[in-house]
Amino acid sequence: MKILVTGASGLLGLNLSLGMTETHTIVGVDRSKLAGTPFELIKADLLEPGACSRLMDEVHPDAIIHTAANANVDACESDPQGARLLNAEFPGQLAELCAKCGVRMIHISTDAIFDGTKDDLYSEDDKPNPLGVYAQTKLDGERNVLSANPDATVARVNFFGWSLSGTRSLAEFFYNNLSTGQQANGFTDVWFCPMFVGDLADTLVRMLEKGLSGLYHTVGSEALAKYTFGVKIARQFGFDEELIRPMSVEESGLKARRSHNLHLSVHKLSTALGMTIPGVSTGITKFYTQYLQGYPQKMRSYQQF
Ligand SMILES: NC(=O)c1ccc[n+]([C@@H]2O[C@H](COP(=O)([O-])OP(=O)(O)OC[C@H]3O[C@@H](n4cnc5c(N)ncnc54)[C@H](OP(=O)(O)O)[C@@H]3O)[C@@H](O)[C@H]2O)c1
C-alpha cells in the first residue's frame, strides 16, 4: 500500500512512518523539520489553500493516516481559532476528499474528549464532554470526519515513545528529568492508558489492512496514574524513583483542565482485530530496548538544521 502520513515530524507520525517503511511505500508530509529519512518526504503546510488536493494529485495514495494536529493542550487554549482550523475543520475537508478519491483514511483523535468523571471504563458509546479547546476541537474533528466519510476510521489514542525533539512524550519527560537527577512531578489523580508508539503503529496498520471503519479506542490495555507511569520508567532505567513528586493535577497550574479518569475500554478494537491489545509494561520494556539500541539518537539524526 502507498500510505500518506501527515505530521511526519511529530511523535506519532515519525515513529509510524519509520515503522512502516519496510512493508509499505510511505510518503510523509512535513513542513521543513525533516531530512534524510528512509521514506519520501513532501513539503506542505496543510492549512494552505489547495494543499489537500495537491497532495492527493501528486501522491495518489491508497490510504492516509492523518496524525497532524495542534496537540499541545495548553497552546490550544491560547489559540482557539488556530486549533479549530487544524484540529476540527481540516480533518473534515480531508475526509471529504478521501471519500471522493476512494482513499482509505485513518484519523487520529484523543482520549481527552471525555471529561474523566466516570467511575468505570469508557466505551465508544459513552458521551464525550470535552473540558477544553484542544479536546473540543478534536471531538469536532472526529465528527466532521465521520459525517463527511463514514468509511473512515477514527482512532482515539494515547501513546509514548522517542521523538524528534526528545521532549514530546511523557516518557521522555520522566527520562530527561530523572536521568539528570532532577525532580519531576507525577500526577496521582490522572489515569490514562498509554500505548507504546511502536505498538500503536502496528495496530494502526492492522486496522488499515482489516479495513475497519468508524470509531475505535486505540489505547493501551492497562490503566495507571501518571505518577505510576513515571515510577515504572524510573524502575526500567534504574533511576531514583524518589525523584518523582506525587501530586494532584489540580495543584499543577496547567492552563487547560485535565480529565481525571481516561480509562478507555479496548474491547471493540480487540474483538475487531482478533488480538490482545498490548499494555504499558511491555511497552516500557520496548521503549527501553530502543534506548539501548540508540533509537533516540537515530530519531534526532533526521532533524533538518
Ligand atoms: N501525544 C499523545 O499522547 C497524544 C494523545 C492523544 C491524542 N494525540 C493525537 O495524536 C496525533 C499525533 O500527536 P503527536 O503527539 O504526534 O503530535 P506532535 O508531535 O505535536 O506532531 C504534530 C504534527 O503535526 C504537524 N503540523 C501541525 N500543523 C501543521 C500544518 N499546518 N501543516 C502541516 N503539518 C502540521 C507538525 O508539524 P511541525 O513539526 O512542522 O510543527 C507535527 O508533525 C494528534 O492528532 C494528537 O491530537 C496525541
Side-chain angles (χ1 to χ4, degrees):
M1 250 193 289
K2 190 175 199 184
I3 305 175
L4 186 70
V5 178
T6 67
S9 57
L11 173 60
L12 175 57
L14 185 53
N15 281 283
L16 178 64
S17 301
L18 291 171
M20 294 191 300
T21 20
E22 301 214 333
T23 47
H24 296 85
T25 304
I26 304 303
V27 181
V29 183
D30 171 46
R31 288 198 280 196
S32 58
K33 287 213 175 124
L34 295 174
T37 55
F39 55 88
E40 192 187 329
L41 290 170
I42 186 161
K43 294 250 167 291
D45 183 325
L46 297 172
L47 293 183
E48 268 182 16
C52 249
S53 323
R54 178 174 71 81
L55 286 171
M56 217 64 118
D57 290 345
E58 281 181 28
V59 180
H60 289 294
D62 300 303
I64 292 186
I65 305 184
H66 178 48
T67 81
N70 184 345
N72 183 324
V73 178
D74 297 310
C76 286
E77 292 293 320
S78 312
D79 180 19
Q81 182 53 21
R84 170 144 303 283
L85 285 176
L86 187 61
N87 293 353
E89 291 176 19
F90 177 79
Q93 292 156 11
L94 184 62
E96 195 177 335
L97 194 61
C98 284
K100 211 160 78 186
C101 302
V103 173
R104 293 260 317 115
M105 177 179 180
I106 296 190
H107 172 66
I108 304 298
S109 188
T110 176
D111 54 354
I113 49 90
F114 293 118
D115 62 16
T117 55
K118 192 173 174 182
D119 284 334
D120 203 348
L121 282 72
Y122 282 101
S123 85
E124 286 81 352
D125 296 328
D126 280 311
K127 195 168 173 278
N129 184 28
L131 293 183
V133 173
Y134 169 73
Q136 182 65 60
T137 56
K138 291 295 288 184
L139 177 62
D140 292 343
E142 290 185 355
R143 288 175 172 162
N144 291 341
V145 165
L146 290 175
S147 77
N149 185 348
D151 289 336
T153 312
V154 171
R156 288 180 178 155
V157 303
N158 194 299
F159 55 91
F160 64 96
W162 300 104
S163 65
L164 190 67
S165 65
T167 57
R168 272 293 303 142
S169 76
L170 185 65
E172 290 174 314
F173 164 79
F174 284 118
Y175 169 81
N176 292 335
N177 282 294
L178 305 180
S179 63
T180 51
Q182 294 177 74
Q183 288 198 322
N185 293 334
F187 301 139
T188 49
D189 52 357
V190 176
W191 283 64
F192 70 145
C193 303
M195 190 188 254
F196 173 59
V197 72
D199 289 332
L200 177 57
D202 292 345
T203 307
L204 292 170
V205 171
R206 280 173 197 250
M207 292 166 81
L208 204 55
E209 288 171 348
K210 270 240 166 182
L212 301 191
S213 290
L215 186 58
Y216 285 89
H217 289 173
T218 314
V219 294
S221 57
E222 286 170 60
L224 75 178
K226 292 202 168 178
Y227 167 77
T228 313
F229 180 76
V231 169
K232 279 179 176 281
I233 295 281
R235 289 187 185 160
Q236 179 70 70
F237 283 81
F239 299 143
D240 179 4
E241 65 190 68
E242 300 295 321
L243 288 170
I244 306 172
R245 265 198 313 243
M247 69 180 282
S248 164
V249 69
E250 304 302 340
E251 304 164 44
S252 69
L254 290 171
K255 199 171 171 113
R257 283 174 69 203
R258 265 53 174 192
S259 308
H260 286 278
N261 168 33
L262 291 176
H263 190 179
L264 271 52
S265 165
V266 289
H267 178 73
K268 182 180 175 191
L269 180 67
S270 156
T271 307
L273 293 181
M275 61 177 261
T276 304
I277 305 302
V280 69
S281 304
T282 52
I284 288 177
T285 306
K286 291 178 192 175
F287 179 71
Y288 180 62
T289 304
Q290 283 190 333
Y291 165 78
L292 296 178
Q293 293 168 342
Y295 188 81
Q297 291 81 356
K298 186 175 124 184
M299 292 290 272
R300 258 161 264 165
S301 73
Y302 298 128
Q303 198 147 22
Q304 178 168 295
F305 292 103

